[in-house]
Structure formats: C-alpha cells, structure tokens
Amino acid sequence: MAARIEHLVTSGEFTLDGGTWQVDNNVWIVGDDEQVLVIDPAHDAEAVAAAVGDRRLLAIVCTHGHNDHVNAAPGLADRTGAPVLLHPEDGVLWQQTHPGFKPDAELADGQRLTVAGTELTVLHTPGHSPGAVCLYAPGLGTVFSGDTLFAGGPGATGRSFSDFPTIIRSIRERLLVLPPETVVRTGHGDSTTIGAETPHLEEWIARGH
C-alpha cells in the first residue's frame, strides 16, 4: 500500500521571549496501515497517539524546536517507543521546553527518511530558527515546511534565534526550486503550492518581515 498523508490539528500555547499566544498547529502523519512518521507532534500526545493507532511509529520528526512543535514529543515517545529527531542547531530552543531531556537523534541536511516505501529528504532551512528543516517527499508531491513557508509568505522572524535574510535565502534556494505543483503542507493554517508562492518573493523582501 502506498504512503498517504493524514492531518491532525491540535491547539495550545506558543511561548517565546516572555510572550504566550494561543495557536492551532498542523500535525502530519505520513505512512500506510503498517508504519508511519509523525511530523511536529504539537500540544496533545494522546490525540496524536490515537491517530497513529496500532501502527508502528518509526520516528517523531520535529521541523524546529519551538515549544508548540515539540511539546508533545516526549509524551508521544513514551507511548510509542519511537525516537525523536531534531536538527542540532535547535537544541537551545528544545531545552527551553524540555530541560534535561534530549532528542534521540539529529536531523541533517540531505538525510533521507523512509516510511512505507516513500522517501522524505531533510532540507535544512534556517531563518525561523537556526535548525529549522523542511521535509521533501517527491513521491507524494509535497514538502512539509514547518514554519519556514506559509500560504502568503515566510514564517515569522521577529523573535529570538530568527533572521529574515536567512529565511529568505532558505526559501529561495531550497524551496522555490522545487516543482511548482509541489504542495506545501505548513505548520499552521492552510496548505499552498510552490507555484502559488514563488511570484511573491520580491514582495516579501520589500516588506522586510
């Protein structure tokens, strides 16, 4: 059976730099009836575990270390025995949420993760955070962009550990080079496509945020 993409929305708090905001997060499950990956387990480990069901969870993949994308990762790992994967440059953000608990393994640019016969390639896309990554699955015609690219522009860069020129470079060099029909499945909100976002790059740069 070919891999498919399942979508769960969870709600909770995003906390950084002394501020707290209520947010809805997209949790993505990729796999088949036997095995899956979870991308960005947010807020509710029990709900994510229920969506996984009795399938084998191969890995818990975090696109970056902000609390709203990793806060349910240890709980999901406890329930399933699956390893937690994070790019090492987001370790400082991870430790703000989970002091004393380390991810099980590091994500690296160009690394390939395989689930249900489908490959996802790790693209290091810093800017929203130093260790932000996207996961490109050409066989599914999609890229999981975390908070690097949204419908309407780049992720936020106004807080600690983020940088606007860096996220623009990541989007230009790593994402907008993908086929235009590639579906962008984001960390929050609606999906988009590479083709829909590409024409607006210069507008984002002019806006400067």
Side-chain angles (χ1 to χ4, degrees):
M1 181 178 291
R4 63 183 183 269
I5 299 167
E6 300 165 32
H7 178 213
L8 182 68
V9 177
T10 58
S11 301
E13 293 182 343
F14 167 53
T15 302
L16 188 65
D17 296 342
T20 298
W21 300 265
Q22 291 295 319
V23 288
D24 296 330
N25 283 64
N26 294 326
V27 181
W28 302 101
I29 301 172
V30 184
D32 59 13
D33 290 343
E34 303 296 327
Q35 57 181 222
V36 294
L37 296 174
V38 166
I39 301 170
D40 287 346
H43 308 304
D44 190 339
E46 201 164 301
V48 180
V52 170
D54 59 2
R55 295 175 290 182
R56 183 181 173 211
L57 180 54
L58 301 183
I60 299 163
V61 186
C62 302
T63 61
H64 61 293
H66 285 151
N67 77 291
D68 58 320
H69 291 255
V70 304
N71 52 11
L76 184 60
D78 286 345
R79 286 168 171 78
T80 62
V84 178
L85 281 55
L86 178 77
H87 193 281
E89 290 188 30
D90 266 17
V92 64
L93 286 166
W94 171 276
Q95 287 298 323
Q96 290 180 1
T97 305
H98 302 301
F101 179 92
K102 291 186 176 180
D104 298 287
E106 296 180 350
L107 293 171
D109 186 56
Q111 179 180 350
R112 286 180 167 83
L113 307 173
T114 302
V115 61
T118 294
E119 274 195 349
L120 292 84
T121 300
V122 177
L123 307 176
H124 183 210
T125 52
H128 181 67
S129 68
V133 302
C134 298
L135 301 161
Y136 177 44
L140 298 174
T142 197
V143 62
F144 299 93
S145 65
D147 286 2
T148 295
L149 179 62
F150 291 104
T157 53
R159 302 190 181 101
S160 296
F161 308 106
S162 65
D163 183 71
F164 181 74
T166 302
I167 202 171
I168 288 295
R169 184 165 62 251
S170 292
I171 291 169
R172 178 194 284 124
E173 297 178 1
R174 308 308 305 275
L175 297 182
L176 300 188
V177 296
L178 300 177
E181 65 274 14
T182 303
V183 177
V184 181
R185 288 180 161 86
T186 62
H188 307 271
D190 295 334
S191 297
T192 182
T193 65
I194 293 296
E197 301 307 319
T198 299
H200 302 291
L201 178 65
E202 296 306 321
E203 297 170 27
W204 306 334
I205 295 170
R207 209 163 59 214
H209 58 81

